[in-house]
Amino acid sequence: KIIKTTTTTTTTTSAISMKSFQIFTALSFIVLGNANDALALHASNGNGNDNDNAYFTPSRKPSLSELITQKIQISALQRPNGLLASTLLPIVSFIEQANPLLIKKREAFGPNFCNSGTVVLSEWDQVEQILTTIPQARTFRLGTGFLNAKRLPMMVGGEGQSKRNVWFLSLDQRGAGGDGMHEAVRSVFIRYFTVKALERQNDSTARALLDQLVEDYKVMDHGLGGAFFRNSKRGFLPFVIKYIHYCLYGIDPSDKKKFQTLYGFYFGNIASKAAPYYLTLIGDLFNLAHCCKFNRLLPKVVEIYVDSPAMAEVPEEVTSFKLSKYEVAHMTIPIMSIAATLGPRDMIQYAMGADKLPNHNTPGVHTDKIDVCSIWDGINLDDRDEVVKYIYEVNRLRPPVGHSHHVAVEDFTVKILGKDRTFPKGTVILIPISLTMLDKNKWGSDVHEFNLDRRNLVDESMIFHSVGNMTNGRMCPGKEFGLNMSVQVVTECGKARRQMGETNAGFLN
């Protein structure tokens, strides 16, 4: 037994040593190759497809660590079954997902580069084509982050049937390997939720919620980071939960017990959002930090949704996939967590000066110095088109959704680090909306400044995962609802600001 144990230990040690040697050898090649890559990258041929591209030649020299992580990702993504893909790529991807800094990477590497285990293609024409014409295959990712599939709506289709995915942000479209489930689930959400929400948005109940918001705005501190934007009892956050749930689900805003549960699940945590719960590893830590409250509240939220007026109109089985009411209700929860409660909230908060716009640590860029409230005070609040342009320009500078993704359905070749690189089918490609909305080639040299009269600001905006109204079927299904909500709040609170101008000047910023 002693001899056998010794032999086993020796074999295991040898295997570990061999793997360590292989990793060391791979890293040595990567480091040795970086000098040539850096020279090639900063030569005149740069990293793009057009010499007129403002990012064709990088504007800063990347650090050695940036080059190494770039080469690790290139090598690992080109060989998804290789050693680097199984060892170092997950580590690099996890680190970068927490702090992607895509703009800084574009400065160092040009329009194409790797980030968080994905290939980033940021040229306008490429992204426009992806958003408007190409059917998308998907996987369980949220931008640069990894989603925990076990927390997403993978419901049992029926007794004896295998589990099926009804989370439509991770479903493939027809033409990209999909079986039609994406289109079916999306159609259910639009038909039974967003269409009705547009009707309820203009009724007396929604109006009463808006009126109460305006009254709260008048008496609460609504300056940068003020109580109006942070308080859990009154002000903006309770309004968001009540307004969205009334409009989408028809839930009575006066039901305190239900809204205590809903607020607790979506905003009642240190991050004031439930989206982190759905991320791999981070979600587990997030849930534990809150004593597993998400696990406790989730069944209650499902029950509230199943019993809602909106769900009463959903048949027991809907679409050719025979989706059950439970599946439909459960399907909407991550949508509410990741998009519906966060998108409009962020759009409105930045438009109302709750937070500074980011400057992305870019030299010469002073986006964080833009006084959006002064601009807000000067627009014509009775002109909806002008209010819409104001909202679009604020959210161009800080998109509510920074990036999404799709999965390559065939091999493709792009230039990265000054060389043509071929990646296999199945590679995750990032859709960097935060970069395209700050693209000098598209928006001009004043791309980091506020310009209400910017050309094609609305018609070519990508903030709703489309190009204006042009889409391949992946445009935000709540676009019209979210924009209407934003216009209502910005208009009514903007008028309140002007009424208060003389008596409550201390609250104005």
Side-chain angles (χ1 to χ4, degrees):
K1 287 184 179 180
I2 294 174
I3 294 173
K4 185 176 181 180
T5 302
T6 303
T7 302
T8 302
T9 303
T10 302
T11 302
T12 303
T13 304
S14 299
I16 293 173
S17 299
M18 178 60 69
K19 195 162 190 177
S20 299
F21 175 74
Q22 290 172 335
I23 294 173
F24 174 77
T25 303
L27 284 174
S28 297
F29 278 113
I30 287 171
V31 173
L32 289 172
N34 277 325
N36 290 333
D37 282 331
L39 290 173
L41 179 62
H42 288 270
S44 60
N45 65 340
N47 206 29
N49 301 318
D50 187 345
N51 282 313
D52 293 330
N53 191 321
Y55 308 102
F56 190 71
T57 300
S59 59
R60 72 174 179 88
K61 189 174 181 179
S63 66
L64 181 60
S65 63
E66 287 178 310
L67 282 166
I68 291 174
T69 55
Q70 198 67 193
K71 284 299 295 288
I72 288 173
Q73 292 181 81
I74 291 170
S75 299
L77 291 173
Q78 288 181 315
R79 305 167 186 84
N81 297 318
L83 183 64
L84 289 178
S86 62
T87 54
L88 296 181
L89 183 61
I91 298 172
V92 172
S93 299
F94 182 78
I95 293 171
E96 289 195 338
Q97 73 167 322
N99 192 25
L101 290 177
L102 298 185
I103 286 182
K104 302 299 291 182
K105 285 201 170 185
R106 182 169 65 179
E107 292 173 2
F109 299 115
N112 305 327
F113 52 88
C114 292
N115 185 85
S116 303
T118 72
V119 174
V120 182
L121 308 178
S122 70
E123 292 187 77
W124 178 272
D125 291 345
Q126 292 173 315
V127 179
E128 181 180 43
Q129 187 179 28
I130 290 168
L131 292 178
T132 61
T133 61
I134 300 176
Q136 294 178 15
R138 289 288 184 92
T139 187
F140 290 99
R141 292 192 73 135
L142 179 63
T144 57
F146 297 88
L147 288 170
N148 185 344
K150 294 179 180 178
R151 289 222 165 104
L152 293 165
M154 306 281 282
M155 298 294 98
V156 175
E159 188 175 352
Q161 297 182 24
S162 61
K163 292 184 177 181
R164 58 184 180 180
N165 178 17
V166 295
W167 165 235
F168 67 83
L169 295 191
S170 291
L171 286 166
D172 301 337
Q173 288 178 278
R174 283 196 178 103
D179 60 2
M181 178 65 90
H182 167 266
E183 290 77 8
V185 175
R186 180 183 172 87
S187 68
V188 169
F189 189 81
I190 292 173
R191 177 177 178 181
Y192 294 103
F193 298 96
T194 57
V195 170
K196 291 291 184 181
L198 293 173
E199 296 175 4
R200 294 190 187 104
Q201 221 168 8
N202 295 306
D203 69 16
S204 59
T205 302
R207 182 69 226 186
L209 291 171
L210 188 61
D211 289 343
Q212 181 59 56
L213 179 73
V214 171
E215 291 305 309
D216 289 345
Y217 187 82
K218 290 178 180 178
V219 300
M220 298 176 73
D221 176 8
H222 49 255
L224 186 69
F228 173 79
F229 299 106
R230 304 290 186 258
N231 195 283
S232 62
K233 303 299 181 183
R234 58 186 300 189
F236 186 63
L237 293 181
F239 164 79
V240 169
I241 292 295
K242 289 181 179 180
Y243 182 93
I244 289 177
H245 279 91
Y246 169 68
C247 291
L248 286 174
Y249 296 89
I251 300 171
D252 183 358
S254 66
D255 192 324
K256 293 182 179 180
K257 185 177 180 179
K258 286 182 179 178
F259 278 99
Q260 183 178 5
T261 298
L262 294 171
Y263 188 95
F265 183 82
Y266 290 111
F267 290 166
N269 55 75
I270 55 175
S272 294
K273 53 189 173 185
Y277 172 69
Y278 293 95
L279 295 173
T280 298
L281 184 58
I282 292 173
D284 293 326
L285 298 175
F286 190 64
N287 192 35
L288 285 173
H290 293 89
C291 302
C292 299
K293 71 176 290 184
F294 294 96
N295 290 349
R296 295 195 310 273
L297 291 178
L298 183 59
K300 296 180 181 180
V301 174
V302 174
E303 184 179 346
I304 290 171
Y305 286 178
V306 169
D307 293 338
S308 69
M311 286 299 302
E313 297 187 21
V314 179
E316 291 299 325
E317 291 184 345
V318 61
T319 79
S320 60
F321 291 92
K322 297 182 178 180
L323 297 172
S324 69
K325 284 195 172 191
Y326 184 77
E327 283 180 300
V328 172
H330 209 291
M331 169 269 291
T332 66
I333 296 177
I335 290 293
M336 296 293 289
S337 301
I338 292 169
T341 59
L342 293 187
R345 186 184 88 172
D346 287 355
M347 287 179 66
I348 294 168
Q349 285 194 151
Y350 279 96
M352 294 176 68
D355 299 288
K356 289 184 178 181
L357 293 169
N359 70 357
H360 308 289
N361 299 316
T362 302
V365 173
H366 305 291
T367 314
D368 58 325
K369 304 298 183 184
I370 295 174
D371 186 352
V372 295
C373 288
S374 293
I375 301 170
W376 179 23
D377 290 337
I379 66 174
N380 183 358
L381 295 174
D382 293 319
D383 183 343
R384 178 184 168 88
D385 289 342
E386 188 165 331
V387 176
V388 167
K389 287 196 298 181
Y390 169 76
I391 292 168
Y392 267 85
E393 180 67 348
V394 170
N395 286 279
R396 182 189 66 80
L397 293 166
R398 195 277 183 189
V401 177
H403 28 267
S404 62
H405 80 280
H406 72 113
V407 178
V409 295
E410 58 186 9
D411 296 357
F412 64 100
T413 301
V414 293
K415 184 170 285 187
I416 302 180
L417 290 181
K419 298 179 181 179
D420 286 339
R421 317 274 182 174
T422 298
F423 297 91
K425 173 183 176 181
T427 300
V428 177
I429 301 173
L430 205 68
I431 305 174
I433 294 170
S434 62
L435 295 185
T436 54
M437 296 309 293
L438 293 173
D439 188 334
K440 292 179 183 178
N441 302 300
K442 181 65 182 177
W443 303 108
S445 58
D446 66 342
V447 67
H448 293 289
E449 299 172 17
F450 193 102
N451 181 357
L452 194 63
D453 297 317
R454 194 174 298 280
R455 185 183 177 190
N456 295 324
L457 173 60
V458 175
D459 293 340
E460 297 192 358
S461 174
M462 293 181 176
I463 65 172
F464 288 105
H465 205 263
S466 60
V467 181
N469 286 321
M470 294 188 295
T471 179
N472 61 353
R474 288 279 187 183
M475 181 168 67
C476 171
K479 173 187 175 181
E480 189 176 353
F481 170 76
L483 185 58
N484 286 347
M485 178 181 174
S486 300
V487 170
Q488 287 178 334
V489 174
V490 168
T491 299
E492 297 306 318
C493 288
K495 290 180 178 179
R497 284 175 67 83
R498 297 176 191 188
Q499 293 172 0
M500 298 158 54
E502 294 181 0
T503 57
N504 286 340
F507 280 153
L508 298 179
N509 48 356

